[in-house]
Amino acid sequence: MTAPLLKVEGLKVSFGHVEAVKGIDFQLHEGQITTLVGANGAGKSTTLLALSGLVKKTAGRVTFDGQDITGLAPHKIVSGGVVQVAEGRATLTTLTVRENLELGAYTRRDGAAARAADMERIFTLFPVLKDRAEGLAGNLSGGEQQMLAIGRAMMAKPRVLLLDEPSMGLAPIIVQDIFRTLREINKLGLTIFLVEQNVRQALKIADRAYVIETGEIVLEGSGRELLGNPRVQDAYLGN
Amino acid sequence: ADIKIGVAEALSGGAAQYGTAIRNGFQLATDEINAAGGINGNKIVLVVEDEQGKKEDAINVFKKLIFQDNVLMVFGPTLSNSAQAADPIAQAAKTVAFGTSNTADGITSIGDYVFRNSVTEADVLPETLRVATKHANVKKVAVLYGNDDVFTKSGYDNFKKALEDAKMPVTTTETFAKGDVDFKAQLTKIKATNPDAIVLSALIAEGAPIMVQARQLGINVPFIGGNGMNSVKIFDLAKGASDKLYVGSPWSASNATPENTKFIKAYTAKYNGAPDQFAAQAYDGMYIAAQAIKAVKLTGALPADRAALRDALPNVKWTGATGAFAFTRANDKAGKPAGYDAKQQAIVSVTKGTQFEIEK
Amino acid sequence: MLDQQLVNALSLGCVYALFALGFTLIFGVLGVINLSHGAIFMVGAYAAATFMRVFSLPLWMGLLGAFLFSGLFGLIIDVLVLKPLRKRNAPHLIPMIATIGVAIILNNGVQAIFGAENLRFPAGTIPDDALEFAGIHVTVLELGIVMVSFVLMGVLMLALKRTQMGRALRAIAESPKAAYLVGVNVEGLFYLTSFIAAGLGGLSGVLIGLYSNALFPLMGQPMLEKGIAVIILGGMGDIRGAMLAGLFLGFAEVLSVAYIGSSMRDAVAFGLLFLVLLVRPKGLFGSLQERKV
Amino acid sequence: MLELSGISRHFGGLKVLQDVNLAVPDKGVFGLIGPNGAGKTTVFNLITGLLPPTSGTIRFDGQDLAGRKPFEITRGGIARTFQNIRVFKEMSLTENVIVGMDAKLRYGAVGLLASTGLFRSEERRARDRARELLSWVKLDHKADQLADNLSYGDQRKLELARALATEPRLLLLDEPVAGMNSSEKTDLMHEIRNIAERGYTIFMIEHDMRFVMGLCEQIAVLNFGRIIARGGPDEIRNDPQVIEAYLGREDDEATNEGVTV
Amino acid sequence: MTGFDNFWAVYSNLVLSLGINGLLALSIWLTLACGMLSMANAAFMGLGAYASSILTLNYGLPYPAAIVVGMALPALVAAIMGGPTLRLSGVYLAMATLAFGEVVRIAVLNTESLTGGALGLNGIPQLTQWWHVLLALVITLLVLWRLRRSKVGRAFEAIKEDETAAGLMGIDVGRHKMLAFVLGAAIAGLAGTLNAHLTFFIGPGEYGFNRAVDILTMTILGGINGLTGPVLGGVILTILPEMLRGLGGFRLVVNGLVLVLIVLFLPKGIWDPMRFRQWFQRKGEAA
Ligand SMILES: Nc1ncnc2c1ncn2[C@@H]1O[C@H](COP(=O)(O)OP(=O)(O)OP(=O)(O)O)[C@@H](O)[C@H]1O
Ligand SMILES: Nc1ncnc2c1ncn2[C@@H]1O[C@H](COP(=O)(O)OP(=O)(O)OP(=O)(O)O)[C@@H](O)[C@H]1O
Ligand SMILES: [Mg+2]
Ligand SMILES: [Mg+2]
């Protein structure tokens, strides 16, 4: 197997006296979809925020493409190519759709033409964004905002895309769209790390999966394996 | 033994500019007196406290000076408002409170331990008006004053009365507020009424820009100012626009009496800057107090000494930087005799170039 | 008279707006009502006056010096005071209280160094004489203030609207977390904002100090009161709103002096402001959401 | 029980709801589904008095709700949860729930100031009741924690308990299982069913089809501000219009689990 | 003179100011507790001070009656202006209330025959006794403490966190806000009355912007999560400049520095039980 693109070792995060993530290890391989599933409060979002440098890691090491990025500032992590679509989307509602997308390219220094080309690419992926480009992002419906959030993250030319529950609160038809899109952009070569409550679907599209319980990784395997794992079925699929 | 005298002035906050000048005046006089051997061989020791120009602090400082530092008498506070709050403390403690900068009505009504040598404008304004009218042919005036400040507001009250007494028509009365930087709205309005002079009750921080902006609007009539404008700072702050300002006051920078010349020279040497009226009155205030102390036999029993000082003060006659000085009895609200005000001759001067010129 | 008064109102309005530009910038981006802005304003004026006197510098150097010097102060305040509070997630009024402390330090520090009395810029820094057009008097300085404030407004608005950094600043204003997620160096932009806002404060200190020609340690205090009114009336951190609200206040004051009476000026101006708020509860341009802290 | 007739709501030029007619029957679970931005939450906002309708009337138990303030409507027996969680973060779970009982605590100013026996017994009753409600949603073991420290899913459950504290007859739930995983959804499904069996009427917005189909006796579908379908789960599941607008086709490998189950 | 008499002679005013500032801090705490940043309390203090002083000074009204008026008038004004104003939120409410304060100040300046204008009112009888202040503070604390522990306190907190959600929990948001605003005004009026009858003099400059900011500072600095904080904040801000008297010219610089340091190291206010608990726990762990 090739060396992992992103490697996390012994990651711990505490809030005051509560340890939300208790020393976890996992790896993302280039070009794969990896998923992290778990119950409410298991520490999934915290893990992602720690990867992006938005919460302080109490211990652990993160290597990305062979380089230690553990203590880097959030903007350095983004410019390095690790970009997150956060829980609740964090669209900038007072900016227009186009401005949101342009801001996505904030860390890029490769010229306006390249950025414009990427924006066109995103517009082909999500045509509705093109229609609403000059409108305020706050006026988009929940699903459209989710698309915008993904599109904005892609404007950063990420090498790894971190997604925190992208399907939450979306109509079934949109959820299908989102998962389809994820697979499409994955096929374009993007590495994806997906946190989902929608465990079944996440496992279905994942190459590799981890299960987290109260801050610790308790199971790992390929998506298919875990889908068939009785413990997973029992705890997360509600069968 | 040393004679402890309390000084409660605003050394910080908005009134610090005046409080500092006052403190300097006291210090200068004290140094001179001590250098000349003190009072009957006793040195004066000043206990200086900052009252920030706030009434609560003035009360606290008065109490500290009177009850803790056991001073013989207290000078201050800087602002009339603070005096209204603090002087009753001194009155109740039977200790002389001596104001050198309080010009508002009613301060000396508080009681018979309250003294001041600051002249209320009521006494000098009629004279200023008379002189200005005579020299500048004033037939009607516009009035401009700061209506949110005791000093400028009580100045205005006296102006108003003087104008009524002199049967001088007023074309319009305008106000401004402390801290304003733009007075053109008022001045434009004044200009439209075509007065022969503008009567101005302001402190220098606003008075100077008012004069500058008036000239910029093409208003070239004389200004008739109160105590607050009586400062050589006007030549600096309103450079190029400072001419034709009439001020009346017992003290003038250009009054060439030997006492005043000596004071201005000593002050300038010591503090590296020209004195103003606040410093002059404080300087004289200390000498006046010294005269009274010289006249009493200090026993060391504080209450007796304080009472004796009070009894001796009203009799002091003194000629200092502000000219000949005597006290005159004031009445309280019920009309009974209370504290003591100043009785002094006003000098009227007008700005010309970088000088106040005395006009008769 | 009305024409002259309208000119007066325009220049007074621009005085308020000029002060408010930096003030509203820091309010908008950092979400802090920076009550030391008045002190920074004063520091800028003192700095320029001192530079110009001691080194006999021309006005533009004084302005530049004031901008850099007060900007530096703003930066220091951010690093030493506001940043630790951000890190500690302080409740949202706390930074404001801290800036009160900073203002006390600056006001009294300047007084301890320069004394309480009025200072001025060297005479002749700017021509004092008024120009006259059709009976209307204006000074070079007034024209300068009007121009500078409109130009600054234009530059700031354009920068915020059109540049990537401007978008980033607006992003921070809405949600620092979202800004982090797109890779904005949020801390860096906080520093930059503090620097520029304070620099603008200092710049306005010089221009307004030239206008009144009487500098004193507490000269920023009255401006601060009016400035707060202006930035809130304008709507959270809205540059255009600050400009408009500044003009509103200027016109309200001048016209109430002209037609109602100068002793009622502030009551009329603030009464109107009160009424405007009742009609537009988020200020003139308050479409922006207040950040929930 | 609840009846919307001819309801429209516009925001400026945006016609979010157009002539919506809905009747929520007494007892049982009623569902409202529809694409994102269809206007579902707006319907709840109108019912609870947060927004006035542009036209139309809303009746609850035969009474017109027009002009009533939100708190009056709540006191009248309608409670809700929020799509964007709105728990009181700085308060403990117990306190959160007791806030919901505000109108039910009957001690006056005197009782309050003098800490009378009535005051104490009422406060104790509130505390006991809060604990009971928290146990309904299995949060009683965290009763004294701050709500802020709960995870997303737990906060949703807390909102549910808090809404129940107002003693509603009609409970409006806006996406109660968003952010929960399947087994948690199953748990909550049981809990909601229990609540319904206790006699509450439930009106629910949800995107999770398994959840909706499993709980609701009646479902209405909103699309672009209009009701496009109404009926039992099976009818809705097979309605071509609903599939087109909302459910999507099952032509994908990663189909929505709700549809396949 | 005994030590205490001596202390009291020098510091009685300071001590009573502590109590009065404590009352002011509590008056704004009440509105803050309800999520409203109202800056009108300085003006309410002034209204109380002027109303009661005019009555005792010119009409010889007995002090208790004057106190009642000094509380009732601001409360009444608050009730009238609360209607339209309390719809505003955050800094917009702060601005509207500041504007109201400014209008009150100008009104005082312009009603000279009644209020003395800029010259203020002087010769106000010194009727405030030490126990008046103590009693006022104790009763206020008691009432607020009871409020806090009841459904009213919970409602305030809920409104502070999320007005909409509170309304949908059946809480009459408007009435509770009004209650906090009016009660705060009455307490501020009480403080104004006590202060006016302690210092012989009142003037319009005392109740402006600076006072409004001072009051807010005391409360926030002390900490708003309880009643101890505001009182403590009032005490510290009153005593601090007095304690620093020895420092001369730079004393207020130090004063400002202390303020900044307190805020930096205790960002939730001085009285922050959570932090105390944390400290104890940390010590416990270390041991
Ligand atoms: N800022 C915080 N302060 C204190 N505790 C926190 C904080 N953020 C998260 N936690 C706690 O950390 C734990 C993990 O939370 P996290 O948000 O990572 O869970 P999650 O797996 O994403 O859950 P969900 O599916 O509900 O989003 C939870 O118990 C939560 O209460
Ligand atoms: N206050 C408002 N001002 C302007 N537009 C609004 C407002 N509230 C809602 N809208 C618009 O109304 C439409 C319907 O919103 P609503 O929140 O009711 O949708 P929804 O059906 O609940 O969607 P979702 O499933 O994504 O929650 C959206 O387009 C939204 O942008
Ligand atoms: Mg999460
Ligand atoms: Mg919704």
Side-chain angles (χ1 to χ4, degrees):
Chain A
M1 212 173 191
T2 55
L5 181 61
L6 189 135
K7 189 167 167 199
V8 176
E9 294 160 292
L11 177 69
K12 285 188 188 178
V13 180
S14 302
F15 299 106
H17 293 272
V18 187
E19 195 163 55
V21 176
K22 303 173 178 164
I24 59 172
D25 307 280
F26 60 89
Q27 300 155 9
L28 311 184
H29 288 275
E30 185 132 30
Q32 290 194 344
I33 297 181
T34 309
T35 184
L36 179 69
V37 298
N40 280 310
K44 305 181 297 294
S45 300
T46 307
T47 304
L48 282 195
L49 291 175
L51 281 184
S52 284
L54 285 177
V55 300
K56 229 174 103 191
K57 311 169 186 70
T58 17
R61 213 171 107 92
V62 183
T63 19
F64 173 62
D65 204 11
Q67 282 181 327
D68 190 342
I69 61 162
T70 312
L72 284 191
H75 64 278
K76 293 263 169 62
I77 295 177
V78 173
S79 59
V82 180
V83 183
Q84 175 170 185
V85 179
E87 197 169 37
R89 304 176 197 122
T91 34
L92 293 157
T93 55
T94 52
L95 275 60
T96 64
V97 170
R98 187 184 295 280
E99 284 176 333
N100 265 278
L101 291 173
E102 274 168 358
L103 254 189
Y106 189 79
T107 55
R108 279 169 60 178
R109 296 284 172 268
D110 55 358
R115 292 209 300 270
D118 276 359
M119 184 146 358
E120 276 314 307
R121 218 160 51 93
I122 285 156
F123 282 153
T124 20
L125 211 55
F126 305 113
V128 61
L129 295 185
K130 188 165 191 174
D131 300 341
R132 308 286 293 265
E134 310 309 327
L136 284 187
N139 289 345
L140 296 181
S141 86
E144 290 156 351
Q145 288 196 23
Q146 190 62 267
M147 295 174 202
L148 176 59
I150 295 174
R152 188 179 70 187
M154 289 181 58
M155 280 297 287
K157 273 222 160 150
R159 298 181 60 197
V160 177
L161 191 59
L162 313 175
L163 293 141
D164 198 349
E165 303 200 29
S167 74
M168 182 158 69
L170 296 185
I173 193 167
I174 308 281
V175 175
Q176 294 159 25
D177 267 357
I178 297 264
F179 277 96
R180 194 181 307 122
T181 312
L182 287 182
R183 270 184 314 156
E184 275 168 32
I185 55 183
N186 172 245
K187 280 190 196 127
L188 297 175
L190 189 60
T191 310
I192 290 178
F193 187 46
L194 174 68
V195 163
E196 256 303 341
Q197 295 283 12
N198 205 332
V199 178
R200 186 185 308 272
Q201 280 200 322
L203 292 180
K204 271 187 193 164
I205 66 166
D207 300 300
R208 187 147 196 90
Y210 295 87
V211 177
I212 184 170
E213 268 174 20
T214 56
E216 286 170 291
I217 290 198
V218 292
L219 276 176
E220 58 175 293
S222 76
R224 291 278 158 208
E225 268 166 44
L226 292 194
L227 208 51
N229 184 313
R231 183 167 163 196
V232 172
Q233 288 184 344
D234 218 36
Y236 302 103
L237 300 179
N239 293 348
Chain B
D2 289 347
I3 301 168
K4 278 207 277 188
I5 294 184
V7 171
E9 301 290 347
L11 303 177
S12 60
Q17 182 169 7
Y18 319 109
T20 334
I22 293 166
R23 198 236 356 240
N24 292 350
F26 287 134
Q27 197 64 57
L28 179 62
T30 306
D31 291 352
E32 287 178 8
I33 292 168
N34 286 343
I39 302 172
N40 300 332
N42 298 319
K43 294 249 181 307
I44 301 177
V45 177
L46 294 185
V47 186
V48 182
E49 290 290 353
D50 177 15
E51 47 91 352
Q52 294 189 62
K54 294 192 205 150
K55 67 168 186 181
E56 273 91 0
D57 288 90
I59 291 176
N60 290 340
V61 164
F62 260 50
K63 289 194 152 189
K64 173 176 176 291
L65 291 171
I66 293 172
F67 297 112
Q68 183 170 311
D69 299 330
N70 292 321
V71 297
L72 182 62
M73 62 171 288
V74 186
F75 279 111
T78 306
L79 300 178
S80 298
N81 280 350
S82 305
Q84 305 273 22
D87 286 357
I89 304 288
Q91 176 67 32
K94 300 215 173 305
T95 306
V96 169
F98 192 139
T100 64
S101 57
N102 314 135
T103 53
D105 270 356
I107 305 250
T108 41
S109 327
I110 288 169
D112 57 353
Y113 276 83
V114 180
F115 292 74
R116 66 175 163 193
N117 72 333
S118 37
V119 192
T120 69
E121 313 217 11
D123 299 331
V124 296
L125 282 170
E127 179 67 5
T128 323
L129 262 181
R130 190 187 61 74
V131 173
T133 313
K134 189 173 106 191
H135 288 269
N137 190 24
V138 177
K139 296 207 180 58
K140 55 187 196 306
V141 297
V143 180
L144 180 58
Y145 72 100
N147 74 337
D148 62 343
D149 180 81
V150 196
F151 196 88
T152 54
K153 172 63 169 59
S154 58
Y156 161 73
D157 287 344
N158 288 315
F159 267 129
K160 194 172 153 209
K161 192 162 167 303
L163 289 168
E164 277 164 12
D165 291 348
K167 302 214 165 46
M168 175 71 71
V170 174
T171 62
T172 180
T173 302
E174 299 296 328
T175 63
F176 59 85
K178 226 190 279 188
D180 282 359
V181 294
D182 180 291
F183 308 89
K184 289 197 165 159
Q186 291 93 326
L187 290 168
T188 303
K189 211 173 159 192
I190 286 174
K191 188 183 177 196
T193 67
N194 252 323
D196 301 322
I198 297 173
V199 171
L200 176 65
S201 180
L203 288 161
I204 200 84
E206 287 90 27
I210 285 174
M211 290 191 65
V212 173
Q213 291 174 18
R215 303 310 183 217
Q216 286 171 348
L217 284 171
I219 304 174
N220 289 310
V221 300
F223 277 86
I224 300 172
N227 271 325
M229 296 297 286
N230 186 18
S231 162
V232 291
K233 280 238 124 197
I234 192 73
F235 301 116
D236 182 28
L237 297 181
K239 198 166 199 151
S242 60
D243 277 2
K244 289 197 278 183
L245 165 67
Y246 287 86
V247 290
S249 159
W251 182 80
S252 166
S254 304
N255 191 10
T257 64
E259 292 85 0
N260 195 31
T261 313
K262 175 180 155 236
F263 160 69
I264 292 175
K265 215 173 130 206
Y267 189 98
T268 313
K270 185 164 168 126
Y271 297 109
N272 234 334
D276 59 9
Q277 181 179 334
F278 292 102
Q281 282 173 340
Y283 177 80
D284 277 9
M286 183 58 76
Y287 271 105
I288 292 166
Q291 294 313 304
I293 297 170
K294 202 181 279 177
V296 299
K297 211 172 145 32
L298 294 177
T299 61
L302 207 50
D305 287 351
R306 284 171 172 173
L309 174 61
R310 193 227 80 92
D311 293 339
L313 255 177
N315 304 320
V316 174
K317 303 269 186 295
W318 177 251
T319 303
T322 63
F325 174 89
F327 280 114
T328 162
R329 193 93 202 232
N331 291 332
D332 67 9
K333 282 179 182 161
K336 295 212 197 70
Y340 293 84
D341 284 327
K343 202 165 123 189
Q344 277 183 292
Q345 200 60 49
I347 303 169
V348 179
S349 45
V350 63
T351 51
K352 198 165 179 196
T354 56
Q355 288 265 289
F356 280 105
E357 287 188 356
I358 295 179
E359 299 266 16
K360 289 259 155 43
Chain C
M1 190 175 90
L2 177 63
D3 42 6
Q4 177 72 51
Q5 291 292 30
L6 291 179
V7 171
N8 295 342
L10 179 67
S11 74
L12 180 60
C14 286
V15 164
Y16 292 145
L18 189 60
F19 178 84
L21 286 178
F23 199 14
T24 203
L25 188 64
I26 203 163
F27 183 36
V29 177
L30 276 76
V32 174
I33 297 189
N34 181 2
L35 291 183
S36 68
H37 200 70
I40 290 283
F41 163 90
M42 176 272 299
V43 166
Y46 270 80
T50 309
F51 293 153
M52 286 166 67
R53 186 158 4 144
V54 176
F55 305 110
S56 325
L57 299 178
L59 178 59
W60 70 268
M61 293 273 279
L63 284 168
L64 186 70
F67 182 83
L68 295 176
F69 193 77
S70 5
L72 191 68
F73 259 90
L75 192 61
I76 292 172
I77 293 169
D78 194 300
V79 172
L80 294 184
V81 181
L82 299 179
K83 179 180 175 174
L85 290 176
R86 284 197 292 271
K87 286 264 169 314
R88 277 162 229 210
N89 249 330
H92 75 142
L93 287 175
I94 282 285
M96 182 177 98
I97 302 298
T99 60
I100 294 176
V102 172
I104 296 177
I105 295 174
L106 291 178
N107 287 337
N108 290 286
V110 166
Q111 191 193 313
I113 296 167
F114 290 90
E117 66 211 48
N118 296 316
L119 303 179
R120 65 162 295 163
F121 286 92
T125 300
I126 204 159
D128 271 339
D129 311 324
L131 315 169
E132 200 183 328
F133 310 97
I136 299 174
H137 298 258
V138 274
T139 60
V140 175
L141 184 61
E142 283 174 299
L143 289 176
I145 287 178
V146 172
M147 253 166 49
V148 169
S149 55
F150 273 100
V151 167
L152 277 179
M153 175 191 77
V155 168
L156 284 176
M157 269 177 64
L158 218 65
L160 282 176
K161 189 96 204 133
R162 297 254 180 271
T163 67
Q164 192 73 324
M165 187 197 290
R167 283 189 276 271
L169 286 173
R170 282 187 289 146
I172 295 175
E174 187 183 325
S175 155
K177 183 184 163 191
Y180 273 121
L181 286 171
V182 296
V184 173
N185 181 358
V186 176
E187 279 301 318
L189 284 188
F190 276 144
Y191 293 157
L192 185 72
T193 306
S194 294
F195 179 81
I196 291 181
L200 291 177
L203 204 69
S204 66
V206 181
L207 290 173
I208 296 168
L210 277 167
Y211 197 75
S212 75
N213 240 338
L215 313 186
F216 51 97
L218 290 177
M219 66 186 271
Q221 217 51 31
M223 273 324 260
L224 188 69
E225 286 177 52
K226 302 261 163 95
I228 290 178
V230 167
I231 65 171
I232 293 177
L233 182 66
M236 281 287 290
D238 194 298
I239 300 288
R240 188 179 36 151
M243 189 80 206
L244 208 73
L247 290 173
F248 174 90
L249 193 62
F251 275 85
E253 286 193 8
V254 169
L255 294 181
S256 64
V257 168
Y259 296 107
I260 298 175
S262 41
S263 65
M264 295 303 289
R265 181 192 67 186
D266 290 345
V268 172
F270 279 90
L272 278 177
L273 201 141
F274 184 84
L275 291 181
V276 170
L277 279 178
L278 294 190
V279 180
R280 291 201 60 95
K282 295 277 173 195
L284 291 174
F285 286 99
S287 53
L288 299 185
Q289 285 293 302
E290 210 171 317
R291 193 192 304 165
K292 223 175 156 114
V293 187
Chain D
M1 177 176 221
L2 180 78
E3 207 182 331
L4 283 70
S5 37
I7 288 289
S8 300
R9 169 73 211 193
H10 304 169
F11 291 108
L14 196 64
K15 295 181 176 164
V16 172
L17 293 176
Q18 298 176 59
D19 191 29
V20 171
N21 295 292
L22 263 184
V24 178
D26 203 354
K27 304 276 180 280
V29 185
F30 187 87
L32 180 63
I33 61 175
N36 297 105
K40 304 179 295 297
T41 301
T42 307
V43 169
F44 276 17
N45 289 345
L46 294 174
I47 297 172
T48 49
L50 288 181
L51 295 170
T54 310
S55 63
T57 51
I58 303 173
R59 288 172 187 284
F60 180 59
D61 276 350
Q63 286 187 322
D64 193 345
L65 296 184
R68 293 220 206 156
K69 298 222 178 66
F71 79 91
E72 290 165 336
I73 291 172
T74 305
R75 290 181 184 185
I78 302 180
R80 75 174 282 183
T81 64
F82 300 90
Q83 180 171 6
N84 305 314
I85 296 178
R86 302 180 90 152
V87 295
F88 304 121
K89 296 190 170 182
E90 303 279 311
M91 299 169 91
S92 74
L93 272 58
T94 315
E95 284 170 328
N96 260 281
V97 176
I98 299 182
V99 167
M101 298 177 204
D102 186 77
K104 309 290 185 224
L105 292 176
R106 32 194 112 262
Y107 50 79
V110 178
L112 182 164
L113 289 177
S115 181
T116 54
L118 178 64
F119 172 86
R120 271 175 273 170
S121 70
E122 285 284 288
E123 284 282 315
R124 200 172 318 117
R125 182 175 68 87
R127 224 149 265 281
D128 294 344
R129 174 76 177 154
R131 204 157 264 273
E132 185 188 346
L133 289 173
L134 284 173
S135 75
W136 288 11
V137 292
K138 307 219 170 63
L139 280 176
D140 44 337
H141 60 291
K142 294 185 174 173
D144 294 323
Q145 289 187 16
L146 287 190
D148 196 20
N149 294 342
L150 294 184
S151 75
Y152 210 85
D154 283 350
Q155 292 191 4
R156 289 209 168 277
K157 296 195 204 162
L158 173 60
E159 272 205 325
L160 182 60
R162 191 181 62 177
L164 285 170
T166 65
E167 297 180 20
R169 276 167 299 137
L170 175 64
L171 190 56
L172 309 179
L173 305 178
D174 198 346
E175 304 197 16
V177 297
M180 295 187 179
N181 68 38
S182 309
S183 74
E184 288 160 336
K185 286 174 189 169
T186 315
D187 285 350
L188 196 64
M189 198 145 120
H190 289 307
E191 280 148 26
I192 291 180
R193 194 170 285 138
N194 285 340
I195 291 168
E197 275 160 15
R198 286 190 172 99
Y200 296 90
T201 307
I202 293 175
F203 182 13
M204 178 171 82
I205 296 172
E206 186 48 68
H207 285 302
D208 187 285
M209 283 309 105
R210 192 168 59 111
F211 194 76
V212 172
M213 302 292 173
L215 269 177
C216 301
E217 289 104 57
Q218 281 283 314
I219 299 169
V221 186
L222 198 61
N223 190 26
F224 288 117
R226 290 179 191 280
I227 302 285
I228 56 167
R230 209 177 325 223
D234 287 325
E235 277 171 82
I236 296 298
R237 213 192 314 262
N238 299 314
D239 186 313
Q241 246 185 310
V242 178
I243 293 175
E244 173 68 28
Y246 183 65
L247 294 176
R249 287 178 215 291
E250 305 170 27
D251 56 8
D252 206 290
E253 164 205 339
T255 44
N256 184 281
E257 55 177 313
V259 186
T260 48
V261 171
Chain E
M1 263 202 290
T2 68
F4 177 76
D5 286 342
N6 204 350
F7 168 83
W8 190 247
V10 180
Y11 291 111
S12 60
N13 261 75
L14 184 64
V15 172
L16 296 189
S17 294
L18 298 182
I20 290 168
N21 282 340
L23 282 173
L24 286 172
L26 287 171
S27 79
I28 200 176
W29 171 84
L30 199 52
T31 43
L32 283 171
C34 205
M36 297 184 289
L37 181 55
S38 158
M39 303 288 278
N41 287 17
F44 289 139
M45 177 194 185
L47 283 178
Y50 269 100
S52 59
S53 303
I54 289 168
L55 291 174
T56 52
L57 193 63
N58 298 342
Y59 301 97
L61 204 69
Y63 195 34
I67 290 180
V68 170
V69 176
M71 293 175 72
L73 180 76
L76 186 71
V77 173
I80 294 168
M81 81 163 233
T85 316
L86 295 183
R87 292 184 302 122
L88 301 177
S89 61
V91 291
Y92 301 98
L93 176 65
M95 189 60 241
T97 45
L98 276 176
F100 162 76
E102 195 63 13
V103 172
V104 168
R105 195 175 69 86
I106 307 292
V108 169
L109 284 178
N110 283 297
T111 47
E112 229 180 301
S113 54
L114 195 62
T115 62
L119 305 186
L121 289 176
N122 56 61
I124 300 166
Q126 195 181 38
L127 299 171
T128 303
Q129 304 286 321
W130 62 268
W131 60 269
H132 293 152
V133 177
L134 186 66
L135 192 68
L137 191 62
V138 168
I139 292 180
T140 305
L141 276 172
L142 221 61
V143 169
L144 295 186
W145 177 70
R146 290 305 312 163
L147 275 190
R148 217 171 113 70
R149 312 239 124 202
S150 72
K151 61 175 181 176
V152 181
R154 269 191 306 269
F156 281 178
E157 204 172 333
I159 293 170
K160 173 165 107 182
E161 284 204 38
D162 189 335
E163 217 176 294
T164 312
L168 285 168
M169 291 301 112
I171 291 170
D172 187 341
V173 175
R175 246 183 62 188
H176 279 90
K177 281 179 151 188
M178 188 62 105
L179 175 71
F181 193 57
V182 169
L183 207 54
I187 296 174
L190 173 63
T193 303
L194 292 171
N195 174 271
H197 290 85
L198 186 63
T199 58
F200 308 98
F201 170 83
I202 55 175
E206 295 171 36
Y207 309 112
F209 177 76
N210 285 334
R211 171 78 77 168
V213 172
D214 277 353
I215 297 175
L216 183 68
T217 308
M218 292 188 288
T219 311
I220 306 279
L221 189 78
I224 57 171
N225 288 322
L227 299 171
T228 321
V231 177
L232 203 64
V235 167
I236 287 176
L237 279 193
T238 316
I239 283 192
L240 193 60
E242 287 302 315
M243 293 210 313
L244 298 175
R245 231 171 230 300
L247 296 178
F250 281 93
R251 116 182 131 115
L252 290 182
V253 176
V254 177
N255 194 44
L257 202 63
V258 173
L259 189 61
V260 172
L261 289 177
I262 292 178
V263 172
L264 278 185
F265 288 100
L266 297 163
K268 299 244 159 78
I270 297 169
W271 190 256
D272 182 4
M274 289 252 251
R275 175 166 287 253
F276 296 159
R277 223 169 295 144
Q278 268 178 26
W279 280 346
F280 276 116
Q281 278 178 3
R282 217 173 288 164
K283 273 202 200 108
E285 275 164 24

